[in-house]
Amino acid sequence: MTNPITRDLFDEVMVPNYNPAAMVPVRGEGSRVWDQQGRDYIDFAGGIAVSCLGHCHPAMVNALHDQAGKLWHLSNVFTNEPALKLAQTLTDHTFAERVYFANSGAEANEAALKLARRVALDRFGEGKDQIIAFNQGFHGRTFFTVTVGGQKAYSDGFGPKPGGIDHLPFNDVEALRHAISDRTCAVMMEPMQGEGGIIPASDEFIQTVRELCSKHNALLIFDEVQTGAGRTGHLYAYQKYGVVPDILTSAKGLGGGFPIAAMLTTQELAAHLKIGTHGSTYGGNPLACAVGQAVLDELLKPEVMAGVAAKSARLKAGLEAINAKYHVFSEVRGMGLLLGAAMNDDYQGRARDFLVAATANGLMCLVAGTNVVRFTPSLVISDAEIDQGLARFEQAVAQVVNG
Ligand SMILES: *Cc1c(COP(=O)(O)O)cnc(C)c1O
C-alpha cells in the first residue's frame, strides 16, 4: 500500500481518538511552523505549552546530537550522567532533594499519587487513603490520574475506577475545610488549572490548602506539568506563590518537545519508594535528560525568565486591544505565557471557532474547554512574532465576528 502522506491518511490508519487540523506541519523554527504546502504559521501554542524554547532551538538540537552519538539507552539497571546532572540541577533550583524521572506528565503524577499512598500506609496504616482533587482539574490520562482529574468526560466509560478519590470546587476554602480530615492522604492540584480554563488558585486558597495539609498530615502535590518549566515567569509556579508542596510534578516544557517528566520531592518522603516499589523502562533516558538539561540551562538564564513577564504583558495587551475592537472576551487572564481569553456572553461555547479561524489565518493557538482560547507560546518568542501572531489572530476574530 502506498498512500500519499496526507491528512486523509490519518482516518485510514490511526485510532480516531484525536481530530487533528486539516493541514500537516512538516518543519518548525523558533515560533514559526510550515505545513506540507509551504504555508507558514506563527506558533502561539508550542504543542500544548511544551515547546518552551520554540522549535529546533540550537541548544536542544546540539544536546540531542551530542548525546545521540554517545549513549541512547541502558534502562535503570544502570544510572547515567545526563540523568544525574539533570536531577542535580532540579534539586539545586527547587525545594526538592530527590527526583524520579518518567516520560510523561501522567506518569509523573501516577508516581506522585503512588508515593503519597505509600507514605500514608507506612506512617499511619490502613484507612488514610483519601485523595482530594478539584473539579475541572487535569492530571493526565492513565486510569488513576484521569480519575483524580475532575472531568467525567475523560474518566467515565472505562469500568470500575480506583477508589478513595473526592472532588471539590477549586478555590473554595470552605469546601476544603469541610472535606479534609486525618483520613486525607494527599491533596492534588494545579497551582493554575490549565485544561480546566486557565484558572489561577487564589493566594488564600493555595495557602489554606498548605495549612490544612500540614495540620492533617496530608501531602500536598502540585501538578506543575503545565505551569512549570518557566511558563509563569518563575521556574515553577509554587515559587511565585511562595507555597511549597511536598511533591511536585513536571513534564511538558521540561523537555521542550522531547518526552520527559519528573516527580520532585523531599529526601524524607522519597525514602518510602524503596527498591522495586516503582519504576519505568525509559524513565531517566539519557537522550531525554540531555535535552532536559539543555532546556533548563536556557530557562535558568536570568534574561529568559525576566523576558517572560515582558512578553506576557505584550501578548495580553494585544489581546485586550483586539477585544476592545470586537467585544468577544469577558477577560484575558492567566500568568506569564499561559494566558486564556474567556468568551463573553455572546460567544459562549465558541472558543473552538476562534481556534479554527486562527489556524486558517496562519496562527496556531489552543482552547481550554469550550469557553477559553488559550495561548502558550515559546518563552523566547520575539516581539515581532508576537505582533505578527496578534495581527493574524485579529483577522481570525474579525472573521468569526462577521460570520
Ligand atoms: C498535560 C498535562 C498532564 C498530562 O501530561 P501528559 O504528558 O500528556 O501525560 C498532566 N497534568 C497537567 C496539569 C497537564 O497540563
Side-chain angles (χ1 to χ4, degrees):
M1 281 276 277
T2 50
N3 284 314
I5 306 296
T6 65
R7 171 64 178 80
D8 289 342
L9 187 56
F10 183 95
D11 300 327
E12 306 280 321
V13 296
M14 302 283 260
V15 168
N17 62 317
Y18 301 119
N19 179 23
M23 59 84 176
V24 180
V26 292
R27 190 166 72 82
E29 192 184 317
S31 287
R32 207 171 285 269
V33 172
W34 289 266
D35 70 13
Q36 288 181 315
Q37 278 68 46
R39 279 197 64 197
D40 78 293
Y41 301 80
I42 299 286
D43 188 359
F44 276 5
I48 301 178
V50 166
S51 307
C52 56
L53 298 177
H55 299 279
C56 299
H57 190 287
M60 295 196 300
V61 172
N62 289 338
L64 189 57
H65 273 164
D66 277 357
Q67 191 57 39
K70 278 186 193 156
L71 184 66
W72 283 35
H73 180 77
L74 278 171
S75 87
N76 285 300
V77 174
F78 305 92
T79 188
N80 65 76
E81 290 178 357
L84 293 169
K85 201 172 162 212
L86 182 57
Q88 177 80 70
T89 305
L90 285 166
T91 54
D92 281 350
H93 292 277
T94 65
F95 75 97
E97 299 155 334
R98 294 291 185 272
V99 179
Y100 167 84
F101 286 118
N103 311 290
S104 67
E107 279 179 67
N109 284 334
E110 188 85 20
L113 292 163
K114 284 176 73 178
L115 171 59
R117 281 274 178 84
R118 182 58 66 105
V119 169
L121 192 63
D122 287 350
R123 287 183 174 171
F124 302 97
E126 310 250 333
K128 190 177 174 68
D129 58 11
Q130 182 197 36
I131 290 165
I132 292 179
F134 298 96
N135 298 339
Q136 302 308 122
F138 184 79
H139 302 297
R141 301 285 203 140
T142 65
F143 207 19
F144 199 171
T145 57
V146 91
T147 308
V148 173
Q151 301 190 44
K152 287 202 182 312
Y154 296 157
S155 62
D156 287 13
F158 300 103
K161 297 175 186 172
I165 301 162
D166 290 315
H167 294 97
L168 304 178
F170 193 61
N171 276 336
D172 186 335
V173 170
E174 283 318 306
L176 181 68
R177 277 191 205 287
H178 190 73
I180 199 167
S181 74
D182 290 344
R183 257 203 62 232
T184 307
C185 155
V187 175
M188 180 176 244
M189 64 180 282
E190 300 157 84
M192 173 161 73
Q193 290 191 332
E195 302 302 312
I198 316 296
I199 302 168
S202 69
D203 287 324
E204 187 202 0
F205 183 67
I206 204 164
Q207 284 161 13
T208 307
V209 176
R210 176 67 278 178
E211 274 166 35
L212 292 175
C213 281
S214 299
K215 180 172 165 205
H216 293 284
N217 293 310
L219 299 181
L220 176 54
I221 305 171
F222 280 172
D223 177 346
E224 293 228 33
V225 170
Q226 193 156 160
T227 55
R231 192 48 56 193
T232 66
H234 298 256
L235 190 58
Y236 289 97
Y238 86 86
Q239 294 161 328
K240 182 183 173 83
Y241 279 102
V243 171
V244 180
D246 300 295
I247 305 173
L248 180 150
T249 55
S250 183
K252 291 204 165 100
L254 183 60
F258 202 97
I260 183 169
M263 177 192 74
L264 311 181
T265 189
T266 62
Q267 180 267 329
E268 199 188 345
L269 294 174
H272 292 264
L273 281 190
K274 294 193 178 66
I275 293 170
T277 49
H278 192 57
S280 155
T281 296
Y282 273 122
N285 170 278
L287 291 171
C289 291
V291 175
Q293 185 70 46
V295 169
L296 280 187
D297 287 345
E298 286 300 313
L299 293 183
L300 287 167
K301 291 179 178 168
E303 68 271 22
V304 172
M305 274 303 93
V308 173
K311 292 172 201 302
S312 172
R314 191 178 190 94
L315 180 53
K316 197 162 182 245
L319 292 169
E320 277 163 355
I322 292 170
N323 196 37
K325 238 163 138 178
Y326 294 96
H327 312 290
V328 286
F329 310 133
S330 59
E331 65 171 338
V332 179
R333 61 180 179 236
M335 298 190 284
L337 286 170
L338 182 43
L339 294 178
M343 300 291 113
N344 68 17
D345 287 345
D346 296 339
Y347 291 89
Q348 285 296 297
R350 292 191 59 193
R352 202 180 150 77
D353 294 351
F354 289 86
L355 177 146
V356 170
T359 313
N361 282 278
L363 178 79
M364 292 166 155
C365 60
L366 299 164
V367 295
T370 58
N371 268 325
V372 177
V373 184
R374 176 171 36 158
F375 302 92
T376 56
S378 156
L379 306 185
V380 296
I381 187 172
S382 68
D383 287 350
E385 287 163 327
I386 293 176
D387 295 347
Q388 198 178 0
L390 282 166
R392 292 179 183 192
F393 189 65
E394 179 166 350
Q395 289 168 19
V397 170
Q399 283 171 13
V400 173
V401 169
N402 299 325

